[in-house]
Amino acid sequence: FHSGEREEKCIIEDVPSDTLVTGNYKVQRWDTHKLEFLESAPGLGMFVTVTTPSDEVILSKLYGPQGTFSFTSYISGEHIICLQSNSTRFIAFAGSKLRIHLDIRVGEHFLDESVIQAKDKVNEVNLRVEHLIEQIHHISKEQNYEREREEKFRKTSEETNSNILWWAIVQTAILISIGIWQIKSLRDFFISKKLV
């Protein structure tokens, strides 16, 4: 995505509890002379802030023009990941555009193939089995989190449907009572004018 030099961009990531989140990023700065984005942005860093659903900051750190950040969620919900450049220029002069490449991985631990090749076959199988078990635990956590969210949504929907039913009953009662009152007042009006 593109960003201004001092502009903060935030991404919302829905994460289950006790889950590792890893983000890799790379920043490119727009060169006005070459009219293209430079491969690296020397001297430019990114300030990364991660906020939990309860508005608690769990990561707030300055990184270089490219880097990796990670955190472990301790509660489930929408975590806000914000990135802002550390440009020291004043806002009026900081008109340069930035291109930020961001890759966020939730709950994944990747195997280092070079380490696996160095080990013998038994250790390789053992590492792969451990990796698969870890992935199974992550998938199980993710499914439990989705079940909790679905249950909350279902309860909210049922409460809303119940409230709508009672609101319809109240509206009907009000309309019937207004109709009866209008008929009674019209009858009293006609009787007082001796039209009936």
Side-chain angles (χ1 to χ4, degrees), residues 11-63:
I11 295 163
I12 297 174
E13 192 68 38
D14 206 359
V15 182
S17 62
D18 298 323
T19 303
L20 177 69
V21 178
T22 306
N24 295 314
Y25 73 90
K26 177 178 152 187
V27 181
Q28 296 175 311
R29 188 189 305 225
W30 178 256
D31 187 351
T32 54
H33 301 297
K34 295 181 181 178
L35 298 177
E36 64 181 1
F37 285 100
L38 298 176
E39 268 310 303
S40 65
L44 186 67
M46 292 302 283
F47 194 69
V48 179
T49 307
V50 179
T51 310
T52 64
S54 59
D55 292 331
E56 182 182 338
V57 177
I58 57 173
L59 176 68
S60 181
K61 190 173 177 183
L62 180 64
Y63 293 91

Side-chain angles (χ1 to χ4, degrees), residues 9-193:
K9 292 282 187 169
C10 295
I11 295 163
I12 297 174
E13 192 68 38
D14 206 359
V15 182
S17 62
D18 298 323
T19 303
L20 177 69
V21 178
T22 306
N24 295 314
Y25 73 90
K26 177 178 152 187
V27 181
Q28 296 175 311
R29 188 189 305 225
W30 178 256
D31 187 351
T32 54
H33 301 297
K34 295 181 181 178
L35 298 177
E36 64 181 1
F37 285 100
L38 298 176
E39 268 310 303
S40 65
L44 186 67
M46 292 302 283
F47 194 69
V48 179
T49 307
V50 179
T51 310
T52 64
S54 59
D55 292 331
E56 182 182 338
V57 177
I58 57 173
L59 176 68
S60 181
K61 190 173 177 183
L62 180 64
Y63 293 91
Q66 72 179 45
T68 302
F69 61 90
S70 63
F71 65 93
T72 302
S73 62
Y74 64 90
I75 59 172
S76 57
E78 294 180 342
H79 289 66
I80 301 171
I81 302 168
C82 295
L83 297 144
Q84 182 179 15
S85 72
N86 69 338
S87 175
T88 56
R89 294 200 255 178
F90 292 111
I91 293 176
F93 301 110
S96 183
K97 286 192 297 185
L98 301 175
R99 178 184 286 166
I100 301 169
H101 303 271
L102 179 64
D103 179 27
I104 296 177
R105 297 176 188 241
V106 178
E108 294 184 12
H109 301 278
F110 292 98
L111 293 174
D112 187 1
E113 293 297 327
S114 62
V115 172
I116 291 174
Q117 290 173 356
K119 305 280 184 180
D120 60 8
K121 292 294 180 184
V122 175
N123 285 342
E124 179 182 345
V125 172
N126 190 20
L127 281 172
R128 290 196 184 273
V129 168
E130 287 175 6
H131 181 69
L132 288 174
I133 289 171
E134 191 174 306
Q135 284 183 328
I136 289 170
H137 288 303
H138 172 67
I139 291 170
S140 175
K141 268 195 255 182
E142 188 84 29
Q143 286 177 336
N144 289 337
Y145 176 61
E146 291 300 325
R147 275 191 209 102
E148 289 172 13
R149 288 185 60 202
E150 189 273 333
E151 187 177 328
K152 286 180 190 174
F153 180 74
R154 188 171 30 84
K155 285 180 182 177
T156 304
S157 296
E158 288 172 358
E159 289 173 5
T160 304
N161 288 340
S162 174
N163 291 341
I164 289 172
L165 175 66
W166 283 109
W167 178 245
I169 291 170
V170 168
Q171 280 183 325
T172 304
I174 290 171
L175 287 174
I176 290 172
S177 60
I178 288 174
I180 292 171
W181 175 77
Q182 285 179 337
I183 291 171
K184 184 182 179 309
S185 55
L186 273 175
R187 191 182 62 139
D188 291 344
F189 174 75
F190 287 143
I191 290 174
S192 67
K193 295 293 183 182

